[in-house]
Amino acid sequence: MSTFSPRVLSGMQPTGNLHLGNYLGAMLNWIRMQETHETLYCVVDLHAITQAVSVWGGPEVLRKAILDVTAAYIACGLDPRKSIIFNQSQVAEHAELAWVFNCVARLGWLDRMTQFKEKAGKDKERASVGLYDYPVLMAADILIYKATHVPVGEDQKQHLELTRDIAQKFNLDFAESIAAQGHGEAFFPITDPVIQGPATRVMSLRDGTKKMSKSDPSDLSRINLTDSADDIAKKIRKAKTDADGLPPEAAGLKGRPEAENLVGIYAALSGTSVDAVLAQFGGGQFSAFKNALADLAVLKLAPIAGEMNRLLADPGYVQGVLKDGSERARAIAQPVMRDVRKIMGFVVS
Ligand code: TYM
């Protein structure tokens, strides 16, 4: 059996602002894991260009978005001394390994990806090849570091299954060469998704059946990490709810997606569980719960925007974090890519 030492990698796209879904679904676990694991967190700028230029906004918008998201990472609590924080495009090995994985992954596997179907919409013929290939690059992001754990929200589960399939097929297809080169039975780990907490799928504040997302045309549907305290409170007070009060137990949330979403958000923000929240608020008025949630959200989230602005006032600092992080990331990625070339039979001089 090959063993892999624990290593964490995850990433977010620099397209628009980060929002509460990114924060509760992924970031809280990122912050937690930097205390216990070797962690790499990347700003996935190569993924940000997979849609039409009119969607991602062009070079100036991208440059700003990369710095904004990096500042958001640090403002949320990632510490550049504990985590390697970098942008994907500065480590060319991600794209190089993605090419090798393009030749490992099968069309049938990619045809099953639901996120491509959602993003490409009806006019699939006009979607970029990159949008289709997006999950293969994501597998390369993870496996170029032989990452064993990937903390993400629920919506990334299918992509992580593809990552496991790619690792497994590579290990099998090249088993002899992997062993001959002294890597034992497996070159890549079979990565575990880390999808944990009471808010792994945060829903729109306007419609509890839709995922909270950057692309929703209604700004009231999401809480951005750049929102002011007033906006955060207003969006929660305006959040859609049904006519009933809060139930005393989790089972009573069934079939009530808006109520379930708000209770999950409260539990995640307060670091407790859905049951604990209902023990406190169950049986009471929804309006009282919403007021408490608005206060809690302002307390936890409003300081992030302030800290982001402070960091962005010194772009040299933020760029320095990315430079240092990219160097450290390359130091891990380059030898792995060199091994891959040798395993595949490329002549390495
Ligand atoms: P992205 O940029 O769409 O989202 C970043 C992270 O936020 C989580 N997330 C949510 N969690 C709960 N509720 C929501 N409404 C919600 N919206 C977003 C996502 O699950 C994700 O964890 N493909 C990835 C980026 C990526 C990546 C990687 C992740 C590229 N390479 C390698 C992990 C490892 C994405 O588009 O995330």
Side-chain angles (χ1 to χ4, degrees):
M1 255 310 270
S2 306
T3 48
F4 295 90
S5 42
R7 182 180 280 154
V8 173
L9 176 126
S10 199
M12 295 194 192
Q13 289 193 63
T15 40
N17 293 315
L18 299 188
H19 56 69
L20 186 64
N22 303 130
Y23 183 71
L24 299 180
M27 182 55 78
L28 287 182
N29 286 324
W30 293 18
I31 297 166
R32 191 173 52 76
M33 295 187 93
Q34 76 176 344
E35 305 302 332
T36 49
H37 288 73
E38 181 187 5
T39 44
L40 293 108
Y41 296 123
C42 83
V43 177
V44 291
D45 47 11
L46 295 174
H47 279 109
I49 60 166
T50 47
Q51 287 190 293
V53 188
S54 57
V55 175
W56 59 265
E60 282 311 315
V61 173
L62 181 62
R63 214 179 334 267
K64 180 173 181 311
I66 294 167
L67 296 178
D68 284 356
V69 169
T70 309
Y73 280 8
I74 302 167
C76 285
L78 293 188
D79 181 342
R81 287 164 304 186
K82 293 181 182 160
S83 295
I84 297 179
I85 298 173
F86 69 105
N87 56 321
Q88 183 190 30
S89 63
Q90 292 209 71
V91 186
E93 285 72 15
H94 290 235
E96 188 177 351
L97 185 60
W99 178 258
V100 172
F101 285 172
N102 279 336
C103 304
V104 173
R106 306 287 97 183
L107 279 179
W109 301 357
L110 287 179
D111 280 341
R112 285 199 287 275
M113 296 293 117
T114 54
Q115 189 165 303
F116 173 74
K117 289 179 195 156
E118 280 161 24
K119 288 202 175 171
K122 289 197 185 75
D123 205 359
K124 166 163 149 302
E125 300 297 311
R126 295 182 64 86
S128 76
V129 176
L131 186 66
Y132 186 71
D133 200 33
Y134 179 115
V136 175
L137 177 59
M138 180 164 162
D141 296 338
I142 296 165
L143 295 173
I144 194 69
Y145 303 102
K146 300 190 176 182
T148 54
H149 296 83
V150 180
V152 283
E154 173 75 37
D155 61 344
Q156 296 301 316
K157 199 169 169 194
Q158 197 185 33
H159 290 160
L160 292 178
E161 278 158 15
L162 183 89
T163 302
R164 293 163 66 96
D165 289 344
I166 290 175
Q168 198 135 32
K169 184 158 162 55
F170 183 97
N171 288 341
L172 271 177
D173 284 356
F174 303 105
E176 265 180 43
S177 185
I178 288 169
Q181 302 277 341
H183 301 291
E185 277 179 22
F187 183 73
F188 289 120
I190 307 302
T191 305
D192 282 324
V194 179
I195 302 173
Q196 268 174 23
T200 54
R201 188 172 174 80
V202 179
M203 308 309 278
S204 156
L205 298 179
R206 306 303 297 164
D207 177 351
T209 62
K210 271 174 40 190
K211 195 179 72 169
M212 182 178 285
S213 99
K214 288 170 191 173
S215 52
D216 193 314
S218 167
D219 194 55
L220 284 175
S221 70
R222 66 183 157 264
I223 294 178
N224 305 300
L225 296 186
T226 48
D227 282 346
S228 68
D230 283 353
D231 281 341
I232 295 171
K234 183 182 82 186
K235 286 177 179 180
I236 288 183
R237 293 211 177 89
K238 286 197 167 185
K240 186 178 168 202
T241 45
D242 53 37
D244 297 338
L246 274 183
E249 279 165 17
L253 292 170
K254 248 196 147 75
R256 298 180 60 192
E258 283 85 13
E260 188 174 20
N261 188 38
L262 293 180
V263 171
I265 291 173
Y266 192 104
L269 280 174
S270 60
T272 55
S273 64
V274 166
D275 287 329
V277 176
L278 292 177
Q280 191 181 347
F281 293 99
Q285 291 287 322
F286 223 111
S287 54
F289 170 67
K290 270 189 170 179
N291 284 336
L293 178 57
D295 289 346
L296 176 66
V298 167
L299 180 76
K300 297 279 179 181
L301 303 175
I304 296 175
E307 182 61 9
M308 256 182 88
N309 287 334
R310 196 185 67 77
L311 289 161
L312 288 169
D314 182 3
Y317 170 74
V318 178
Q319 280 175 14
V321 168
L322 292 177
K323 180 169 186 286
D324 173 63
S326 302
E327 278 162 13
R328 289 156 68 199
R330 273 197 295 271
I332 304 173
Q334 282 171 346
V336 174
M337 194 63 227
R338 202 179 154 81
D339 285 344
V340 170
R341 285 189 217 114
K342 287 195 202 153
I343 288 167
M344 304 283 299
F346 294 114
V347 175
V348 178
S349 32

